[in-house]
Amino acid sequence: MWALRVPQTFQNPVLPIPNKPRDCAAAAKPPDTINLRPSTTLTAAVIATTTNQLIQSLCKRGNVKQALQVLPHEENPTQRTYELLILCCALQNSFSDALTVHRHLIDNGFDQDPFLATKLINMYSELDCIEYARQVFDKIRRRTMFVWNAIFRALTLAGHGIEALDLYREFNRIGYCSDRFTYTYALKACVVSESLVSLLNNGKEIHGHIFRRGFETHIHVMTTLLDMYAKFSCLSYACRVFERMPVRNVVSWSAMIASYAKNGRPFDALNLFYEMMLECHDFLPNSVTTVSVLQACGNLSALSQGKLIHGYILRRGLDSLLPVKSALVTMYARCGDLESAQYVFDKMNKRDVISWNSLISGYGIHGFGAKAIQMFEEMISLGVAPSPVSFISVLGACSHAGLVIEGKRLFNSMVKQHGISPGVEHYGCMVDLLGRANRLDEAASIIEDMPLEPGPKVWGSLLGSCRIHCNVKLAERASSRLFELEPNNAGNYVLLADVYAEAKMWDDVKRVNKLVESRELQKVSGCSWIEVRRKMYSFKSVDELNPQIEQIHALLVKLSKEMKEQGCLPNTKPVLYDLDSEEKQRILLGHSEKLAVAFGLINTSKRETIRITKNLRLCEDCHSVTRFISKFANRDILVRDVNRYHHFHDGVCSCGDYW
DNA sequence: GTAGGGTTAG
């Protein structure tokens, strides 16, 4: 099935290419007196013996304006002259000059030249003028494979996936055969679609064509195919493509590592990286590979692994590129080592908006909202324009720190001061900011008034806040929308059941749990992990696999007695079942994060910070127990949950019990 | 004359 949609741009097919002033065209004589800068006149004139050569020479120097001054004096501009003019306009990013060249080319009868049409399509694509590229394509009668591939590339780069696939269907219908380039563009078109409807089936259909036409051995096509499946989170398909590739190179390995890193399988990403180091003797990982590996380390909070990779990057001299440095900043921040993140950032001799965003979000997840705002403002004062992601980072930081007024101010400054209209993600941040701060009505009215369709993330933020502040009515409203939008996301049902449990509405808890069972949904079970002496240990609730499990349980029972003696009673709210208090306490003692903390206490030295990561939100009881342990055992404990960091020190948590 | 993998958020 092909999805069809007429693009908006087709409604106005004739685009304004201005007419060349005729008096200029009439002056077709040798350029004996042309007003050029003295230095240019000298150097260009020495090399050029004809006007065509002079124009070409000026283009090669990037002087498109001067080349255009000379152009009217050339009676017979050649294809090569136009080619260089087009390339120069694209390189100089000059749209007005591009239109002049295009007009001139039409006037001189070159508009049906497929070679120049290809170049024009590429030029308009680079100038972000996809409508003009499409018009060139529509007008050219002789469509070579270069012309077709150029428009597929342009549409794909512009994110017009549906339009590209629509045209690709036409291409096949007419009887053209895809080559290796067409296949890569068509596959990419499936993932860049602006539509909410998944084009995975189109991708699978193209895969079928590739298979039947014997392109399954082509490394570029296969790598793009692998990447397409990964972008649709179809990891098993991506793996199969990777495994069946007859030849692999650094790009195919990197693509597979990135697929794991981006799809919640950081362990596999790291394992594959190491396998690559062991198995591949003809090539080494490059900077792109290491960026994905750093991302995996950050996702795992695997600080010592991250440091190892950092060492490797330095030894190989891969640290000169900005993406590697930004990835290092993120890795250190996500691994809980903000000092190192700041150190890497400080040592950067050049920074772009992404480097700043990395640091801002780092401060955000650690709960240092004011510092994140300070960095955001410093970035602007240094002349770096904030991107939409900068606002997500800084608004997220406000949300974690409860900085409602500052968050509102920053949100309002988006359009007024920076010309960025808020996207769904920004509204989601505001719902989160207000909701967490128990301003649930305000959060709900943000959703009602927003000009965009609130997606599942926005309703999810509201439901999350309803869970924190136990608002049954609003939770029911948010979840009914979420059940429509994401019927298979078990997390939403769990959140609603949490709200009912807290309100002691046990019949409703049962009803929601039955719904989960009847829909055969898989709840994500809590999992925590800890890195001890460069090894990762993971824990699930009621874990019997760890050889030290008895020792861990004994320690937790001892600590819980100690807590009770000091008047700290267990918080049984997080237990969703209607059980007696003792049974609830027993369940609470089996929570994965407590097991990991106890394991850390047993297996690390007194001065070491215990670093734990959890795949879900930290539960209230585990939070208060960890706070107690940090004082009682005099240990610094760092816990990263799905949202943010908690630094426990001397009985206090950095989140101020606000998370 | 065209091609594959990577950085920031939630």
Side-chain angles (χ1 to χ4, degrees), chain A residues 219-238:
Chain A
I219 195 160
H220 282 86
V221 174
M222 283 301 98
T223 309
T224 317
L225 186 62
L226 182 166
D227 185 57
M228 179 207 73
Y229 281 126
K231 297 235 160 80
F232 282 118
S233 300
C234 296
L235 264 259
S236 57
Y237 283 78

Side-chain angles (χ1 to χ4, degrees), chain A residues 316-384:
Chain A
R316 291 277 318 283
L318 301 173
D319 62 325
S320 57
L321 294 172
L322 222 45
V324 176
K325 289 183 177 169
S326 301
L328 279 167
V329 171
T330 304
M331 182 275 291
Y332 278 117
R334 292 181 73 90
C335 287
D337 188 350
L338 256 181
E339 293 77 17
S340 297
Q342 180 74 60
Y343 180 80
V344 173
F345 182 83
D346 289 341
K347 289 280 172 200
M348 291 170 83
N349 42 22
K350 209 178 133 195
R351 298 175 190 120
D352 64 0
V353 67
I354 296 178
S355 338
W356 282 96
N357 292 350
S358 303
L359 192 69
I360 293 165
S361 63
Y363 278 114
I365 57 168
H366 283 267
F368 299 121
K371 186 76 183 172
I373 296 173
Q374 187 196 326
M375 289 291 122
F376 177 82
E377 281 166 355
E378 197 177 320
M379 171 182 81
I380 294 168
S381 71
L382 289 169
V384 178

Side-chain angles (χ1 to χ4, degrees), chain A residues 29 33 66 69 142-143 148 173-174 176 204 246 248-249 265 286 299 301 365 400-401 531 583 633 639 650:
Chain A
K29 57 174 187 171
T33 49
Q66 292 173 352
Q69 282 183 319
R142 198 161 76 82
R143 290 170 179 171
W148 279 104
R173 197 188 57 76
I174 299 168
Y176 282 99
K204 285 182 176 171
R248 298 181 198 130
N249 61 13
R265 287 174 61 175
N286 62 17
N299 290 344
S301 289
I365 57 168
H400 291 311
E531 200 184 36
E583 184 61 11
V639 182
D650 198 26

Side-chain angles (χ1 to χ4, degrees), chain A residues 466-476 494-512 571-578 584 620:
Chain A
C466 292
R467 188 236 169 277
I468 297 170
H469 302 293
C470 191
N471 185 323
V472 176
K473 212 172 160 190
L474 211 48
E476 284 175 336
V494 175
L495 277 174
L496 180 64
D498 273 346
V499 178
Y500 284 138
E502 188 148 353
K504 296 196 167 36
M505 297 162 69
W506 301 113
D507 290 341
D508 292 292
V509 174
K510 272 184 205 156
R511 183 174 52 81
V512 175
N571 180 349
T572 55
K573 270 198 308 189
V575 182
L576 280 183
Y577 309 100
D578 188 13
K584 281 187 177 180
E620 282 94 335

Side-chain angles (χ1 to χ4, degrees), chain A residues 267-279:
Chain A
F267 268 118
D268 294 313
L270 267 172
N271 276 332
L272 197 65
F273 173 70
Y274 289 125
E275 196 182 319
M276 178 185 178
M277 302 267 272
L278 288 169
E279 278 191 18

Side-chain angles (χ1 to χ4, degrees), chain A residues 159-162 188-197 199:
Chain A
H160 293 213
I162 291 180
K188 275 182 165 290
C190 300
V191 285
V192 300
S193 164
E194 61 280 42
S195 152
L196 293 174
V197 181
L199 297 179

Side-chain angles (χ1 to χ4, degrees), chain A residues 268-537:
Chain A
D268 294 313
L270 267 172
N271 276 332
L272 197 65
F273 173 70
Y274 289 125
E275 196 182 319
M276 178 185 178
M277 302 267 272
L278 288 169
E279 278 191 18
C280 304
H281 305 293
D282 299 335
F283 48 84
L284 288 166
N286 62 17
S287 59
V288 178
T289 329
T290 58
V291 165
S292 291
V293 180
L294 287 172
Q295 200 183 21
C297 293
N299 290 344
L300 278 171
S301 289
L303 182 60
S304 59
Q305 285 295 326
K307 283 182 176 170
L308 281 178
I309 308 292
H310 190 177
Y312 177 78
I313 288 167
L314 292 174
R315 284 197 300 282
R316 291 277 318 283
L318 301 173
D319 62 325
S320 57
L321 294 172
L322 222 45
V324 176
K325 289 183 177 169
S326 301
L328 279 167
V329 171
T330 304
M331 182 275 291
Y332 278 117
R334 292 181 73 90
C335 287
D337 188 350
L338 256 181
E339 293 77 17
S340 297
Q342 180 74 60
Y343 180 80
V344 173
F345 182 83
D346 289 341
K347 289 280 172 200
M348 291 170 83
N349 42 22
K350 209 178 133 195
R351 298 175 190 120
D352 64 0
V353 67
I354 296 178
S355 338
W356 282 96
N357 292 350
S358 303
L359 192 69
I360 293 165
S361 63
Y363 278 114
I365 57 168
H366 283 267
F368 299 121
K371 186 76 183 172
I373 296 173
Q374 187 196 326
M375 289 291 122
F376 177 82
E377 281 166 355
E378 197 177 320
M379 171 182 81
I380 294 168
S381 71
L382 289 169
V384 178
S387 69
V389 176
S390 313
F391 281 97
I392 297 173
S393 309
V394 75
L395 290 173
C398 292
S399 185
H400 291 311
L403 303 175
V404 176
I405 295 167
E406 289 84 346
K408 280 182 166 179
R409 178 181 62 79
L410 287 162
F411 183 75
N412 290 330
S413 78
M414 281 184 72
V415 176
K416 283 183 191 157
Q417 287 169 33
H418 304 285
I420 299 175
S421 28
V424 181
E425 301 90 342
H426 302 102
Y427 286 102
C429 288
M430 291 309 287
V431 170
D432 199 56
L433 172 75
L434 294 162
R436 276 180 203 275
N438 203 9
R439 294 163 80 153
L440 286 165
D441 291 338
E442 265 185 83
S445 47
I446 288 259
I447 298 182
E448 258 164 41
D449 298 340
M450 64 188 271
L452 304 163
E453 188 60 39
K457 292 267 156 66
V458 177
W459 286 109
S461 286
L462 186 66
L463 181 58
S465 299
C466 292
R467 188 236 169 277
I468 297 170
H469 302 293
C470 191
N471 185 323
V472 176
K473 212 172 160 190
L474 211 48
E476 284 175 336
R477 199 176 126 204
S479 54
S480 76
R481 254 329 261 135
L482 278 166
F483 296 163
E484 285 167 21
L485 293 167
E486 298 182 320
N488 298 325
N489 185 344
N492 298 326
Y493 299 84
V494 175
L495 277 174
L496 180 64
D498 273 346
V499 178
Y500 284 138
E502 188 148 353
K504 296 196 167 36
M505 297 162 69
W506 301 113
D507 290 341
D508 292 292
V509 174
K510 272 184 205 156
R511 183 174 52 81
V512 175
N513 284 336
K514 271 191 184 157
L515 207 58
V516 174
E517 272 172 40
S518 67
R519 294 189 179 181
E520 294 179 354
L521 303 179
Q522 204 64 48
K523 285 185 195 171
V524 178
S525 52
C527 177
S528 300
W529 56 95
I530 178 170
E531 200 184 36
V532 175
R533 289 182 289 277
R534 289 189 184 169
K535 268 191 170 178
M536 302 293 289
Y537 298 85

Side-chain angles (χ1 to χ4, degrees), chain A residues 23-76:
Chain A
D23 54 336
C24 242
K29 57 174 187 171
D32 38 16
T33 49
I34 297 166
N35 186 22
L36 299 177
R37 280 206 313 268
S39 60
T40 319
T41 316
L42 275 175
T43 45
V46 169
I47 301 160
T49 52
T50 66
T51 319
N52 266 317
Q53 281 176 344
L54 176 60
I55 299 166
Q56 290 174 22
S57 174
L58 288 164
C59 286
K60 284 176 189 166
R61 286 170 172 73
N63 293 335
V64 64
K65 296 251 185 278
Q66 292 173 352
L68 282 173
Q69 282 183 319
V70 182
L71 187 60
H73 302 282
E74 173 54 66
E75 212 168 339
N76 295 308

